[in-house]
Amino acid sequence: MALIEINDLQVSFHQQGVIKTAVESVSFHIDEGETFSLIGASGCGKSTVLRVLAGLQREWRGEITLLGQKIKPQQRFTGQLRRDVQMVFQDPYSSLHPQHLIRRTLGEPLKIHGEKNISARIEEALEQVGLPTDAANRYPHQLSGGQRQRIAIARALLLRPKILLLDEPTSALDMSVQAEILNLLNRLKREHGMTYLLVSHDSDVIAHMSERAALMENGHIVRQFSRDDLRQAEHLLPGSL
Ligand SMILES: Nc1ncnc2c1ncn2[C@@H]1O[C@H](COP(=O)(O)OP(=O)(O)OP(=O)(O)O)[C@@H](O)[C@H]1O
Ligand SMILES: [Mg+2]
């Protein structure tokens, strides 16, 4: 079953009287349990597609079905939909509040959704991402870049989502830490039966992580890659986009 179906998505931004179309026409589907990746040069519209699917960019045109439910432009994500779709951003430095203890950063989404046993849930989330439970008592600047990204992943997992939108989750990290985080994401996906939409510039990351991928250019999907394409032919993918 397709958990994400997008048909002819268009997104335009209005800036000082000028209309800039970031996504011209994008269509794809992602089946349950798959990792589907978007590749493409800077500015081609990848993050914009993810922001639409996370409910952060509410102005768009086209057809989108998320988890079997049709969503509409301007729709605010509430209830189960808001829990089921979570996003991890590229930069763990700016995605965590610098003046909040990790305990607060992780506790807030649980409180907002009326969850109980918050301390136990925070401990469980930290354990899942391979961090000691005393990480809850630190501020972001007291953690390494890799640890911060683990916190961002823990936060995304707290509400037990079905879909994770991963926007270059490792590109701010050095190579060895990158591999650890990618392996962690693959393990969590298996354990929790999640579905991933991943954006990356790195063809090795795409090949390691994805069942299928699509190459975007100027707001369009210009090419799709099957698992076999990805396995046999890393040379099909531009090395560093
Ligand atoms: N809020 C916004 N207002 C105006 N223009 C925007 C906005 N968000 C994105 N854009 C523009 O839309 C285009 C696509 O941006 P997007 O962030 O989706 O690209 P991207 O493929 O994620 O690039 P990168 O690889 O650099 O992250 C760019 O030209 C960008 O400047
Ligand atoms: Mg981007």
Side-chain angles (χ1 to χ4, degrees):
M1 186 186 94
L3 284 199
I4 299 178
E5 265 187 273
I6 300 184
N7 223 328
D8 202 17
L9 177 68
Q10 278 179 42
V11 184
S12 299
F13 295 105
H14 302 256
Q15 267 187 332
Q16 292 145 2
V18 181
I19 296 176
K20 149 104 197 141
T21 301
V23 177
E24 286 263 353
S25 173
V26 161
S27 305
F28 61 83
H29 74 276
I30 307 179
D31 287 330
E32 187 166 7
E34 268 191 314
T35 297
F36 182 86
S37 295
L38 289 176
I39 337 157
S42 185
C44 71
K46 305 178 299 293
S47 296
T48 303
V49 172
L50 265 60
R51 290 172 50 79
V52 169
L53 292 171
L56 300 170
Q57 166 66 38
R58 292 201 291 271
E59 216 165 292
W60 51 269
R61 284 157 55 163
E63 284 172 26
I64 298 179
T65 307
L66 268 182
L67 298 145
Q69 191 181 329
K70 269 203 184 316
I71 63 161
K72 297 198 182 72
Q74 307 304 336
Q75 180 177 338
R76 281 177 194 277
F77 287 12
T78 55
Q80 196 60 38
L81 185 59
R82 177 138 172 231
R83 305 172 68 110
D84 279 344
V85 185
Q86 297 290 328
M87 185 153 166
V88 175
F89 299 88
Q90 171 173 2
D91 184 0
Y93 296 81
S94 61
S95 71
L96 301 175
H97 195 298
Q99 271 114 37
H100 289 182
L101 283 174
I102 299 306
R103 177 178 307 292
R104 178 163 172 195
T105 294
L106 295 180
E108 261 165 12
L110 293 169
K111 276 192 200 131
I112 289 168
H113 286 268
E115 298 282 322
K116 301 202 176 62
N117 304 323
I118 289 184
S119 293
R121 291 284 296 277
I122 291 173
E123 281 186 18
E124 178 196 35
L126 289 169
E127 275 165 19
Q128 277 179 356
V129 298
L131 287 176
T133 51
D134 69 5
N137 300 321
R138 295 193 212 158
Y139 290 97
H141 74 267
Q142 295 169 320
L143 299 168
S144 70
Q147 289 172 327
R148 271 190 286 259
Q149 197 56 307
R150 286 175 193 264
I151 298 286
I153 293 165
R155 178 177 54 184
L157 290 178
L158 280 169
L159 297 167
R160 303 186 174 134
K162 298 199 169 67
I163 295 172
L164 270 197
L165 307 168
L166 301 159
D167 196 354
E168 310 213 35
T170 59
S171 59
L173 307 172
D174 67 38
M175 288 295 277
S176 62
V177 181
Q178 208 177 81
E180 280 171 27
I181 299 286
L182 295 173
N183 289 334
L184 169 69
L185 286 167
N186 275 338
R187 175 170 66 74
L188 291 168
K189 184 184 147 197
R190 279 197 307 275
E191 287 175 5
H192 296 264
M194 289 183 286
T195 301
Y196 286 175
L197 173 52
L198 171 72
V199 167
S200 175
H201 280 80
D202 186 326
S203 55
D204 289 336
V205 170
I206 303 275
H208 180 65
M209 298 291 288
S210 337
E211 268 82 38
R212 293 184 299 120
L215 174 64
M216 281 184 72
E217 260 176 41
N218 298 324
H220 293 270
I221 286 181
V222 294
R223 179 153 193 188
Q224 295 231 22
F225 301 93
S226 68
R227 177 75 252 186
D228 281 345
D229 294 336
L230 293 173
R231 204 177 288 142
Q232 306 163 1
E234 263 146 64
H235 64 271
L236 282 175
L237 296 165
S240 177
L241 282 158

